Amino acid sequence: MSSSLLQRLGEAGWPRVLLGAYWVGTFLGTVANGIQILTANRPTTEGLVIAAFIILAAALPLAYQIGRRSGGAAVPSGEFLIRVREAEHARRVLDGTLGAYRPYRDDWKIVFDIGEQGDGDDIEEIHKTRPHFAKRVYWCQFEALNRGRDHELGWDDIDLHVTRPPASSGDPQQAGVVKLHSKSVPRALITFAPPHAEVTWTAKYRSPGYWDPIRQSGHVQYFEWLPPLVGLDEDGRRRSPVGSAAFVFRVPSSLGVLVAPRDLPAGVTFKEKPNGLTQIREYEFSVHAEAIAKAVEPIGWSLRLQRSSTE
C-alpha cells in the first residue's frame, strides 16, 4: 500500500476507513465468490456468503491498524471494543456459514517432533490442496492437532506460521490466515492469493505437552486421528476431503526409539527411516485412501518408546 494512499486514509478518519473496508470487503468477496460459482457449476448458499466474510474478517483488524496510525490519534477504548466485537462476530458468522463445507481435496503429511520436554513438541503440516468442484482452490481449513479434551490449546500456545512456496522465482504467492471462532482448539481458514489449480502450503506450529504421556512412566501413548468430514450437502460419494495422509514421528536419540507396533489398523502401513546424521530417527505411518473413506471413528495405534540402555 503506497504512502499517499495511507495519507488519504488518514485524512478520511477512522469511521470512513472502517466503512470503506466493509464495502471493499463485501465487493471483493462477491467478485471472488462469483468466479468460484461460475467455474464450479455448483452454486451453493454457503458460497454466496463465505468469500465476503473472508475479506471482511481480514479487513477489520487492518482497518483498525490504519485508523490508529493515521492522524496520530489512537481510537478510543470504547470504540476499539466495538471493532473487536465486530471482528469476532464476523468470525462467528464465517464459522457458522462454513460448517463442514470443504470444496477441495487435500493430501497430508504431518511431521511430529517429539521434544525432550513438553515445550519442544512441534508439528509441521505439509498440504497439497486441489479443488474438488472448481478449476482453482481458494481456501483450505486448518485445525491445530491436540491430544484431546485434556490438552486444550490457544492461539498464544501454538505460534502458527503458514507459508506457501512460490511456483516460480519472483512469483508472489501468498497464504493468508483468517482465525475462526473456536473454544478449545485453534481453527482458521487458509486463503490463497492468487488461487491456483494446485496449492502446496505448510503450517508450522507448537503443541506444548502433546507427547507428555510417552515421556512419562510407561512410555506408551495412543495416537488418534479422525479425518475431517465433508458437509451433508456435499458430494455423497466422499466422506472426507483428505485423499492421503502420512504421519511422521521424529524422535531424538536421547529419548530412545519407537518400537514398531504389532497390530496396526487396516489400511495403515509403517516404515522406519534411516537415522542419518541428525541423531533423530523418523518413523512414518501411511493411511491409505480406503481407510480414510471408511473411517467413522478415529484411526489410531499405540506408540511405545523404548528408552536407551544408559538410563
Side-chain angles (χ1 to χ4, degrees), residues 12-267:
W14 165 252
R16 294 182 182 178
V17 170
L18 179 65
L19 183 62
Y22 175 84
W23 287 113
V24 170
T26 304
F27 173 75
L28 291 179
T30 303
V31 171
N33 174 74
I35 294 173
Q36 182 156 357
I37 289 178
L38 289 175
T39 56
N41 294 322
R42 192 176 183 274
T44 62
T45 302
E46 293 90 339
L48 291 171
V49 183
I50 288 170
F53 273 101
I54 291 173
I55 305 297
L56 176 57
L60 282 170
L62 175 61
Y64 169 69
Q65 292 299 328
I66 295 174
R68 280 187 61 91
R69 295 173 183 175
S70 60
V75 179
S77 59
E79 194 169 343
F80 168 69
L81 290 176
I82 292 175
R83 307 311 172 210
V84 171
R85 293 193 187 102
E86 288 175 344
E88 181 62 23
H89 177 68
R91 292 191 182 102
R92 287 177 181 268
V93 174
L94 176 60
D95 190 25
T97 305
L98 266 171
Y101 182 57
R102 295 178 170 90
Y104 52 80
R105 293 173 291 169
D106 201 18
D107 293 326
W108 287 21
K109 182 177 181 180
I110 315 296
V111 180
F112 292 90
D113 278 298
I114 302 177
E116 295 182 350
Q117 304 294 332
D119 58 1
D121 292 340
D122 297 329
I123 299 176
E124 179 180 15
E125 301 186 6
I126 301 99
H127 295 257
K128 183 176 292 185
T129 307
R130 299 177 298 276
H132 185 66
F133 301 114
K135 294 181 180 179
R136 293 178 176 87
V137 60
Y138 291 83
W139 72 83
C140 190
Q141 294 200 43
F142 165 82
E143 181 173 318
L145 297 174
N146 71 342
R147 202 175 56 242
R149 293 183 178 179
D150 62 336
H151 184 223
E152 293 188 355
L153 297 172
W155 283 106
D156 292 338
D157 299 318
I158 69 172
D159 189 25
L160 174 67
H161 294 275
V162 175
T163 57
R164 177 186 177 187
S168 59
S169 60
D171 187 12
Q173 304 222 356
Q174 299 177 349
V177 178
V178 179
K179 297 178 182 178
L180 299 176
H181 176 71
S182 181
K183 292 183 178 180
S184 59
V185 179
R187 299 173 56 246
L189 203 64
I190 310 301
T191 61
F192 306 127
H196 204 270
E198 179 176 290
V199 176
T200 299
W201 58 280
T202 300
K204 294 183 179 181
Y205 57 99
R206 303 175 64 248
S207 188
Y210 191 110
W211 298 104
D212 280 350
I214 207 169
R215 282 187 293 262
Q216 297 167 357
S217 59
H219 311 309
V220 177
Q221 184 166 335
Y222 192 73
F223 174 77
E224 284 188 328
W225 173 67
L226 180 63
L229 303 178
V230 300
L232 296 177
D233 63 336
E234 286 199 40
D235 188 350
R237 292 171 295 179
R238 66 171 193 156
R239 291 182 52 83
S240 174
V242 180
S244 64
F247 299 90
V248 177
F249 304 90
R250 303 176 76 239
V251 184
S253 56
S254 57
L255 285 181
V257 297
L258 286 182
V259 179
R262 295 181 178 179
D263 300 317
L264 284 175

